[in-house]
Amino acid sequence: MKKYVWLAWLLITAGIAGFYGFKMFIDPDKQSLLVGEPTWGHHQIEMACTACHSEAFGGKDTLQNACINCHGAELEAAQDSHPRKKFTDPRNADRLDVLDARYCITCHIEHQQEHTRIMGVTLPDDYCYHCHQDISEERPSHQDLEFNSCASAGCHNYHDNRALYEDFLAANAMGEWLKNIREIPLPQAAAVGTASLDIQRFPRFSDKQQLHSQQHGEWLASSHAQAGVSCGACHSNDDGDWLDKPKLAQCETCHDKEAEGFLAGKHGMRLAQGLEAITPAEAKLPMKPLSRDTQHSCVACHSAHDFDTQRAAVAACLNCHDDTHSLAFEQSPHGKLAARAAAGELPPEQAVTCATCHMPRRPISAKVDAVLGVEHNQNMHLRPNEKMIRPICMQCHSLGFAIDALADKKLIDKNFAGRPAKHVPSIDWAVKREQTP
Ligand code: HEC
Ligand code: HEC
Ligand code: HEC
Ligand code: HEC
Ligand code: HEC
Ligand code: HEC
Ligand code: HEC
Ligand code: HEC
Ligand code: HEC
Ligand code: HEC
């Protein structure tokens, strides 16, 4: 009898595994799969099962490699404050019994929307307790704090604490709320110099220039024409023949950094997995009905052929985005600065656009005089929002003001029209501790 039960179990298991294996790796119709709702971060690539499950029975390590493959560089750039190596250290082995922090999926399980919190976290919010129970002995300021308040806005993050460590808080405690100067000047368009490649090797298609006078006119006024980028640089296929609708692959030949950023964020994550480009129709965020079917790509923001970066920085976003935060922008103090700069009343570096916060300019190499390129991954600084403090807000505001503003959810909804109603005491504590002998 026992033998048959065992055999039945084996057959059922093989059947289930076979079913999932077929669905995941062979069958293009994955909708019928019995897995739970995907997380906010991954819902756009839900159907690319093999992006995470690259082997049928790979287990923990296969998933771990997949996570690192897509997020490793980002966590490294964030100077992850709890990296894996902290936990492979034998001195910390006891902590792993409660929470195996070597594996991403200890804290970020997929397909379990019902216990998933913001940023894909599937642990209860007081989990710091497991490893830092003794914190109040060491720090009197932390005596009466609840463990679910450690990682609330403005204090700590599990991974990214680039703006939230004690020395930095104390050193930047002072300062007017508004410094009002951006120290990094914006480069002149035609001299950006982020593009690569020998542009002389492309066909010029003079006949097309005559035929399509509108495109030719817009192109003539663009920095592409100034830099000698001919029609053929975008419009030729591998054989040198005319290509009607250039795609990301053509832009990528010269703008690889921008393409890399775009593909790593939400806007490009579907294309990166070989799925159809993202459209507002599939969004969870509110989107403008008119743009429902616009396929997201470089020209969704940089319409061919003027490639106007000013339009790309606000107007293009508002073609699609329709949430309260986005809609509040134009009436906010920042939005008014952007309008004045667009009208030529202010130098462009004093404007704050959607792109200032979501697609900031940053050096494209480690050199001191490195060219400033635009970060095209609009999720890079999004969550936790303290990622914006150092590279963005502090160009113009003090640290304390930025921490308070970003901790105030209602103020974010109004797109920063007004003063923060919250005060985060972390700077006060850091200063006090520094002054106590
Ligand atoms: C973004 C990464 C990701 C994608 C995409 C993804 N999964 Fe998963 N999947 C995971 C993680 C993480 C787990 C949890 C593993 C654990 O709990 O040990 C998991 C668990 C599972 C499980 C086990 C269920 C369970 O509760 O233990 C199945 C079956 C599964 N996935 C199938 C799929 C299928 C089918 C697809 C495509 C429709 C898919 N997954 C897409 C990351 C992903
Ligand atoms: C194919 C690439 C890919 C793989 C594999 C992948 N992710 Fe992601 N993940 C993304 C992208 C793209 C986003 C959305 C953009 C962003 O938030 O950076 C995202 C979002 C997230 C977020 C949410 C961030 C937020 O702000 O809401 C978390 C957490 C996360 N991933 C963790 C994981 C973990 C853990 C794994 C392994 C189980 C994993 N990812 C596997 C590409 C990937
Ligand atoms: C002990 C729990 C824990 C482990 C292990 C863990 N995370 Fe996280 N992760 C969190 C928490 C909590 C957040 C929410 C934001 C924060 O506090 O930093 C987060 C946020 C994130 C985010 C979005 C925000 C950001 O800082 O970029 C990504 C992406 C992410 N984790 C990826 C990973 C990957 C990849 C791994 C494995 C290498 C991993 N996490 C391991 C707890 C964990
Ligand atoms: C799985 C165990 C574990 C968890 C969970 C954990 N930590 Fe840690 N944490 C460590 C270890 C190990 C260190 C390094 C040694 C030490 O300082 O105790 C550390 C160090 C720190 C530091 C010192 C700063 C630094 O960069 O070295 C801070 C701050 C911190 N953790 C905050 C938190 C917060 C806040 C949470 C919850 C969001 C958290 N930790 C969750 C294990 C953990
Ligand atoms: C920097 C790249 C680039 C350059 C240079 C460029 N184009 Fe284009 N062109 C595009 C893209 C991208 C599209 C497709 C737009 C879309 O998909 O909506 C396009 C579309 C077109 C179309 C089709 C329009 C339509 O609506 O179907 C014509 C015609 C055209 N371009 C002519 C030209 C001519 C003539 C030149 C040279 C004077 C030129 N282009 C230079 C990128 C370029
Ligand atoms: C043959 C190389 C080449 C190709 C292909 C190409 N570009 Fe460019 N692009 C350049 C050069 C050169 C510049 C001038 C600025 C610089 O040196 O970075 C430039 C500038 C730009 C600018 C800045 C415009 C400004 O006024 O500041 C944008 C935006 C842009 N390109 C987008 C695109 C898009 C989108 C595509 C694909 C449809 C594309 N480019 C294809 C070489 C190229
Ligand atoms: C063609 C339409 C379109 C344009 C143009 C566009 N977006 Fe998006 N954006 C989307 C879609 C669709 C998503 C994914 C939303 C979802 O999955 O719910 C998205 C996601 C985002 C996210 C990530 C939200 C999250 O929670 O992870 C940010 C931030 C964002 N867009 C900012 C911008 C900015 C800033 C601009 C202009 C510089 C812009 N977008 C232009 C369609 C667009
Ligand atoms: C969500 C909107 C959006 C998308 C999609 C987008 N860009 Fe941009 N891009 C911008 C904005 C906004 C700026 C200018 C920001 C500023 O001036 O501060 C810019 C600037 C640029 C520049 C000039 C600055 C630099 O980094 O060299 C180039 C080149 C460029 N984009 C190329 C591309 C290419 C190639 C793609 C497709 C892979 C693309 N962009 C997709 C919004 C977008
Ligand atoms: C001063 C900086 C700033 C400006 C300007 C700004 N944003 Fe944001 N944006 C934020 C912050 C901070 C968040 C919240 C991140 C978080 O905590 O989840 C956010 C969130 C978002 C989200 C994600 C909403 C969600 O619920 O996931 C989108 C989409 C977005 N912004 C689009 C835009 C657009 C479009 C514009 C211009 C019309 C714009 N933003 C202007 C700082 C800014
Ligand atoms: C390029 C400079 C610049 C950057 C970057 C910038 N701001 Fe501002 N911000 C300003 C200026 C200038 C004003 C005042 C505008 C006015 O009063 O007309 C302002 C106003 C504000 C206000 C409204 C204050 C009030 O009294 O109404 C808030 C809140 C704010 N900023 C928060 C932020 C946050 C948070 C960030 C980063 C995500 C940020 N800002 C990035 C320049 C900047």
Side-chain angles (χ1 to χ4, degrees):
M1 185 64 199
K2 240 184 181 163
K3 199 165 130 199
Y4 294 112
V5 174
W6 194 82
L7 194 67
W9 177 82
L10 191 76
L11 282 174
I12 293 169
T13 314
I16 295 173
F19 172 76
Y20 279 124
F22 170 72
K23 283 292 180 185
M24 249 188 250
F25 295 95
I26 302 163
D27 189 4
D29 172 27
K30 301 189 168 65
Q31 210 79 48
S32 62
L33 284 172
L34 308 165
V35 285
E37 229 188 288
T39 53
W40 179 264
H42 297 133
H43 80 96
Q44 294 285 355
I45 54 165
E46 180 186 6
M47 291 303 142
C49 314
T50 51
C52 296
H53 301 284
S54 58
E55 291 167 48
F57 301 100
K60 263 185 167 176
D61 288 302
T62 302
L63 284 168
Q64 181 78 8
N65 290 341
C67 313
I68 301 277
N69 200 8
C70 292
H71 292 289
E74 170 195 348
L75 291 182
E76 204 162 299
Q79 293 160 16
D80 193 353
S81 39
H82 293 89
R84 187 186 174 103
K85 61 174 182 292
K86 235 177 203 166
F87 301 104
T88 47
D89 185 334
R91 280 168 300 177
N92 288 325
D94 55 326
R95 310 199 187 183
L96 301 182
D97 294 338
V98 261
L99 206 64
D100 192 348
R102 292 171 307 172
Y103 288 97
C104 315
I105 58 168
T106 302
C107 309
H108 300 285
I109 302 174
E110 192 52 57
H111 320 299
Q112 299 202 10
Q113 193 60 277
E114 59 289 4
H115 7 217
T116 306
R117 298 187 295 112
I118 189 162
M119 288 179 271
V121 180
T122 44
L123 285 178
D125 59 4
D126 58 355
Y127 72 95
C128 311
Y129 173 82
H130 295 304
C131 302
H132 296 292
Q133 294 159 25
D134 307 331
I135 187 70
S136 62
E137 286 164 26
E138 197 195 320
R139 285 169 192 265
S141 59
H142 286 47
Q143 207 133 44
D144 300 318
L145 300 178
E146 302 281 342
F147 273 92
N148 64 7
S149 72
C150 322
S152 61
C155 292
H156 299 283
N157 289 309
Y158 184 76
H159 297 295
D160 188 322
N161 290 295
R162 274 172 296 180
L164 300 173
Y165 61 92
E166 211 161 2
D167 295 350
F168 185 73
L169 294 173
N172 290 279
M174 303 306 241
E176 291 292 316
W177 74 279
L178 186 61
K179 297 189 255 170
N180 208 12
I181 22 158
R182 179 127 87 157
E183 279 140 17
I184 311 170
L186 296 177
Q188 285 300 306
V192 184
T194 52
S196 54
L197 217 81
D198 167 19
I199 48 188
Q200 300 304 330
R201 70 180 177 87
F202 296 100
R204 302 193 67 87
F205 295 122
S206 318
D207 54 328
K208 300 280 184 188
Q209 294 191 17
Q210 285 169 5
L211 212 59
H212 299 289
S213 56
Q214 189 203 333
Q215 284 85 355
H216 184 223
E218 285 178 9
W219 170 80
L220 262 185
S222 76
S223 51
H224 281 132
Q226 283 176 46
V229 179
S230 63
C231 316
C234 294
H235 282 284
S236 59
N237 63 17
D238 289 343
D239 301 328
D241 298 328
W242 178 260
L243 174 76
D244 220 6
K245 289 213 182 248
K247 294 238 151 41
L248 186 138
Q250 275 70 42
C251 314
E252 199 175 12
T253 52
C254 301
H255 300 298
D256 54 336
K257 284 267 179 343
E258 288 79 1
E260 196 186 301
F262 174 75
L263 292 170
K266 272 247 164 96
H267 286 156
M269 71 193 285
R270 287 176 60 90
L271 275 180
Q273 292 309 314
L275 302 169
E276 283 281 300
I278 200 171
T279 66
E282 291 135 0
K284 292 190 176 178
L285 285 171
M287 295 278 154
K288 296 258 163 68
L290 273 179
S291 69
R292 256 186 78 81
D293 300 318
T294 309
Q295 290 214 328
H296 214 331
S297 75
C298 311
V299 283
C301 294
H302 298 291
S303 53
H305 294 84
D306 59 5
F307 299 95
D308 177 355
T309 50
Q310 204 161 52
R311 198 192 76 89
V314 180
C317 320
L318 293 174
N319 266 347
C320 296
H321 286 280
D322 202 22
D323 52 285
T324 35
H325 163 85
S326 300
L327 294 177
F329 173 72
E330 286 180 311
Q331 291 310 312
S332 73
H334 291 149
K336 288 177 186 156
L337 293 174
R340 284 174 61 202
E345 294 165 24
L346 277 180
E349 56 266 31
Q350 284 179 26
V352 180
T353 64
C354 312
T356 309
C357 295
H358 294 295
M359 299 176 63
R361 288 193 182 256
R362 43 101 188 88
I364 61 169
S365 76
K367 280 192 274 172
V368 184
D369 55 352
V371 171
L372 295 177
V374 172
E375 174 56 69
H376 275 69
N377 174 355
Q378 73 300 315
N379 284 81
M380 184 66 114
H381 299 91
L382 189 64
R383 277 184 295 265
N385 66 30
E386 290 90 347
K387 284 181 180 171
M388 287 186 189
I389 295 176
R390 277 183 88 157
I392 302 164
C393 314
M394 283 184 74
Q395 289 177 36
C396 307
H397 295 291
S398 63
L399 175 65
F401 179 76
I403 292 182
D404 289 352
L406 289 169
D408 185 344
K409 292 218 160 33
K410 289 202 181 108
L411 188 59
I412 298 176
D413 276 347
K414 291 189 282 181
N415 216 317
F416 305 98
R419 290 301 178 108
K422 282 206 162 191
H423 176 61
V424 179
S426 45
I427 293 187
D428 313 338
W429 291 343
V431 170
K432 195 163 167 210
R433 207 167 126 100
E434 199 184 42
Q435 287 164 351
T436 327

